[in-house]
Amino acid sequence: MESFSSKSLALQAEKKLLSKMAGRSVAHLFIDETSSTVLDELYRVSKEYTHSRAQAQRVIKDLIKVAVKVAVLHRNDSFGPSELAQASRFRQKLRQGAMTALSFGEVDFTFEAAVLASLLAECRDALLELVQHHLTPKSHGRIRHVFDHFSDPGLLTALYGPDFSQHRDKICDGLRKLLDEGKL
């Protein structure tokens, strides 16, 4: 007997459609205004650090695609009990990373690139484990691309340096708001 699931087919179509439209309009369906502001600042940091508009756009587009796909999976109750526990661990690591980033931004001379890079690597691994059976290897590559880009010690050192203080302050304001609202 052929196994057919219209729910599974609809989920595949939704993920495919949204991945093709990973722009600002679709992002606003799943990403709030504060998150959008943080993403815009991350784009500016990436663009200034890499001196490549295309590379900065690619990493933010990959980040949005991954965020939208994970949101679709969560919204459609695609995660089982063990995966929900893994999602909770991922969220906890992400919160820890955000709080560490805030602390480094607020307290002078405390920044350590290795600490933040390690937390981002742990987030990457937790997310990859969570979506292992739900997303394609191409999406797994996007996850690696995003986390590897932002955990680059050179980029992190530049972000916490004097030249990027304006961007860092806006990112920290957004992270603080997301943490206060319980969205992160």
Side-chain angles (χ1 to χ4, degrees):
M1 181 107 189
E2 181 181 347
S3 71
F4 177 80
S5 168
S6 60
K7 182 178 179 180
S8 174
L9 186 62
L11 180 62
Q12 284 179 320
E14 188 174 15
K15 287 191 308 188
K16 185 72 169 174
L17 178 66
L18 290 174
S19 73
K20 296 289 184 193
M21 301 167 46
R24 211 177 246 288
S25 59
V26 172
H28 284 295
L29 294 173
F30 294 93
I31 299 172
D32 63 25
E33 192 62 38
T34 305
S35 299
S36 181
T37 301
V38 171
L39 290 173
D40 289 345
E41 287 305 316
L42 289 173
Y43 165 76
R44 290 181 187 102
V45 167
S46 294
K47 183 179 171 190
E48 287 181 34
Y49 178 73
T50 63
H51 304 290
S52 170
R53 179 176 173 249
Q55 189 175 350
Q57 286 177 338
R58 174 89 273 158
V59 76
I60 297 302
K61 190 171 185 176
D62 283 353
L63 194 155
I64 290 170
K65 282 184 176 186
V66 168
V68 167
K69 286 181 180 186
V70 171
V72 166
L73 289 170
H74 181 68
R75 192 187 75 205
N76 287 310
D77 297 321
S78 297
F79 298 128
S82 65
E83 291 168 326
L84 288 174
Q86 180 62 28
S88 179
R89 285 190 293 277
F90 168 70
R91 186 171 188 217
Q92 184 178 19
K93 277 293 171 196
L94 200 57
R95 285 182 56 82
Q96 182 183 0
M99 290 189 298
T100 302
L102 279 173
S103 174
F104 287 160
E106 293 171 347
V107 182
D108 291 337
F109 309 111
T110 58
F111 170 69
E112 290 185 44
V115 171
L116 210 44
S118 174
L119 282 169
L120 288 169
E122 290 176 30
C123 286
R124 177 200 61 216
D125 296 343
L127 183 57
L128 283 169
E129 187 178 332
L130 173 64
V131 299
Q132 178 180 3
H133 302 294
H134 299 281
L135 299 180
T136 65
K138 187 173 183 179
S139 292
H140 297 167
R142 286 188 179 111
I143 292 168
R144 286 186 192 89
H145 177 234
V146 168
F147 280 98
D148 292 349
H149 176 78
F150 288 112
S151 65
D152 172 20
L155 184 140
L156 292 172
T157 301
L159 178 60
Y160 283 90
D163 294 342
F164 288 80
S165 62
Q166 182 181 4
H167 299 301
R168 181 184 62 246
D169 292 345
K170 289 180 183 177
I171 291 168
C172 285
D173 289 344
L175 290 177
R176 188 176 304 103
K177 187 174 179 184
L178 291 171
L179 285 167
D180 290 347
E181 294 173 353
K183 294 180 180 177
L184 191 62

